[in-house]
Structures are given as C-alpha cells and as structure tokens.
Amino acid sequence: MLTDATIRKLEAPATGQKLYRDPSVQGLSIRCSQGGTKSFVLRRGKERQLITIGQWPNLTLQVARLEARRLNAEATLGKLRPQSISYNDALSRFLDDKA
C-alpha cells in the first residue's frame, strides 16, 4: 500500500517512467519519471485512459485518493467532465458557429 513515507522514498527510474499502484483506490497510481517528478494518475475505462490528477508533494496522497474516487464515481454515474480545449480551438469553434 502506498503511504506518504513510501512515496518520499521512491527513486526516479534511470529512463522513462514507472508506475506504482495504490491498491486502496481502483486505477490510482503514482508515476515516477526519470527527472524525479512524481505525479498521481488515474487509469480507467476500456480505453485505459490515463488522467493526471496532480504532482506530489503539492498534492497529498489523501487528496489524490479523494479526487480519484470522485472521478471514478463520475464515470460510474455518467457525469464526465468535458475535456478542456485550448483558447485557439475555442476561438475557432466560436467563429465557425457565428459564420
């Protein structure tokens, strides 16, 4: 099981990234990258979509678990948040709608 102490001790891999699963929340892992960054991620759905929740230590394990549970509940209830788009894409869509 992941704890704040075990996350603190995780070492960066020599190359690429490594995922460490948190068995207490379905799909939640912490991803360690070769640069030393540690991020909470949630893998869900048939497509195995990977959602970045936030970086550790700015986001604690407890908060990451709560957010992962909320995201899992939204998916179960069918209340998924729309994907964000860039300003340029939004402007383009807006102008296309007005034309």
Side-chain angles (χ1 to χ4, degrees):
M1 173 159 331
L2 285 179
T3 65
D4 288 317
T6 58
I7 292 171
R8 192 175 304 111
K9 293 177 185 178
L10 294 176
E11 293 185 15
T15 60
Q17 301 172 341
K18 186 166 183 178
L19 289 176
Y20 298 91
R21 290 187 51 232
D22 181 11
S24 66
V25 179
Q26 181 179 357
L28 182 64
S29 298
I30 187 154
R31 177 178 58 201
C32 297
S33 64
Q34 66 185 14
T37 303
K38 298 174 184 175
S39 301
F40 293 103
V41 294
L42 180 66
R43 187 174 302 272
R44 69 171 188 203
K46 294 178 184 177
E47 308 84 31
R48 309 288 295 153
Q49 176 187 20
L50 192 65
I51 301 167
T52 302
I53 296 175
Q55 285 188 355
W56 181 88
N58 298 335
L59 191 70
T60 65
L61 176 59
Q62 180 180 9
V63 173
R65 284 176 174 158
L66 288 173
E67 181 65 8
R69 286 185 182 111
R70 186 188 66 75
L71 290 168
N72 284 336
E74 281 184 356
T76 300
L77 297 172
K79 297 181 178 180
L80 301 176
R81 290 183 179 176
Q83 293 290 327
S84 61
I85 60 172
S86 70
Y87 173 80
N88 290 335
D89 288 341
L91 180 60
S92 176
R93 288 182 188 183
F94 174 77
L95 293 174
D96 289 344
D97 287 345
K98 294 300 177 187

